[in-house]
Amino acid sequence: MGGVLSIGGSEAGKVGADNGPPGASQLRAHLLDSRLAGTTATSREKSLRRYRLFAARDPRALIGLEPEREWPVPALLALMAETCGVSGDAATVTGHDTIDPERTIAALDAFADRLRSAAERRVPVLLGTGHPARLLGFYATLASALSSAGCTLLTSATGRRIDITTRFGVRTLTLGYARGVALIHEPGVRPAVDAPGVHTHSPLPLRTVLSAAMADGGPLPGLVIGDHGWVCAAGQLGIEAIGPADTDDPAPFVGQAEGRVSVAVPVDDAARSDSYRPLAHYVLNRACLSQ
């Protein structure tokens, strides 16, 4: 039966290639040097705009989450200050957001705990990204390690067409997989490292994969690892979900606060793709999955 994938251990085997996996102090320095944390490229204006959209329950900001309670902008700002380290001062309306690297490392430790648990139980795992140009390598490294540990990687709905609403109108895109990671891409374009896919916040790809898996008779994921609509839509449906999130995307952090997203890792999600490699190595080492 289709819909599952097995990957060899070559990518996981590179975990120690860069002088071994980083420790917490090394990782903290890397987060600051790469601007994944500290002062990031995400503008305060963009974040506040997204908080206003979320407070108004705009689907573009909810990305698959249905909050259980009201989240006015002051409450969102307080949450993001607590979980990410952004400024909690409502009078700060310009400049760049900040992420506390200690909060990032603590969240990565919790992320690693969930990876270890999934590997021990050998649960089926779905990995998906709305940021393929930036985060594909991060997820692919995790996919390889989890597959080597005996977890089934789900690949349902390959080739399905999905109508995605964008600011330029509705685009019909194709769901595919690259190195065990789900993404959407232009029709007729094979997802690959040099053309990995299309950026999206939509929850529709996750819902499409789950619908196809159920129609095929399973299995369904015991853990979803992803960002944007992948993690929020999974958490909303009661599936354990973990992943990175930027300061201009409050939905994963609200999902975490309300108990539907297990771990939201505060990190700039639009940095250079190779800057996420030490994060993957760190969590795999913490999860005892490095090879």
Side-chain angles (χ1 to χ4, degrees):
M1 177 167 50
V4 299
L5 178 68
S6 177
I7 297 179
S10 58
E11 190 68 30
K14 297 178 183 178
V15 168
D18 300 326
N19 298 318
S25 60
Q26 293 173 296
L27 182 61
R28 185 183 188 280
H30 171 73
L31 290 169
L32 294 173
D33 289 344
S34 61
R35 295 187 66 185
L36 293 178
T39 301
T40 71
T42 306
S43 72
R44 179 72 162 184
E45 296 92 331
K46 182 180 180 183
S47 292
L48 292 175
R49 184 166 60 249
R50 296 282 293 184
Y51 300 169
R52 290 191 290 270
L53 289 173
F54 190 96
R57 293 184 176 251
D58 189 307
R60 292 172 294 177
L62 297 179
I63 55 178
L65 190 73
E66 297 176 13
E68 294 177 346
R69 62 182 179 89
E70 296 300 317
W71 285 89
V73 172
L76 285 172
L77 189 56
L79 174 69
M80 299 303 284
E82 178 184 356
T83 57
C84 302
V86 305
S87 172
D89 182 2
T92 302
V93 296
T94 61
H96 292 274
D97 267 341
T98 57
I99 294 176
D100 179 359
E102 300 302 333
R103 288 173 169 86
T104 302
I105 293 170
L108 287 171
D109 290 345
F111 187 103
D113 289 342
R114 304 321 305 154
L115 287 184
R116 181 170 59 250
S117 176
E120 289 173 348
R121 293 177 289 128
R122 296 190 176 184
V123 302
V125 178
L126 172 65
L127 298 99
T129 182
H131 253 306
R134 309 294 184 177
L135 291 169
L136 177 60
F138 171 77
Y139 293 118
T141 300
L142 305 183
S144 180
L146 288 166
S147 177
S148 295
C151 292
T152 297
L153 304 183
L154 302 192
T155 58
S156 298
T158 300
R160 293 284 181 90
R161 299 292 180 92
I162 306 175
D163 292 332
I164 302 289
T165 301
T166 74
R167 59 180 174 171
F168 305 110
V170 176
R171 298 175 64 189
T172 299
L173 299 165
T174 301
L175 195 145
Y177 292 81
R179 299 163 64 193
V181 184
L183 46 82
I184 57 171
H185 58 90
E186 296 287 353
V189 176
R190 182 183 177 89
V193 173
D194 57 345
V198 175
H199 174 250
T200 183
H201 286 230
S202 175
L204 292 179
L206 180 280
R207 295 170 183 165
T208 300
V209 171
L210 294 185
S211 294
M214 288 187 287
D216 293 342
L220 296 175
L223 176 67
V224 170
I225 305 171
D227 47 68
H228 295 170
W230 290 95
V231 70
C232 288
Q236 182 64 39
L237 294 172
I239 301 169
E240 184 172 22
I242 61 176
D246 208 335
T247 54
D248 62 347
D249 281 322
F253 298 100
V254 170
Q256 181 177 251
E258 293 189 345
R260 274 166 292 166
V261 172
S262 292
V263 182
V265 180
V267 68
D268 189 320
D269 63 7
R272 288 176 38 152
S273 59
D274 60 359
S275 65
Y276 300 98
R277 186 180 301 117
L279 279 64
H281 294 177
Y282 177 82
V283 296
L284 290 178
N285 186 55
R286 291 275 306 187
C288 301
L289 291 174
S290 58
Q291 297 182 351

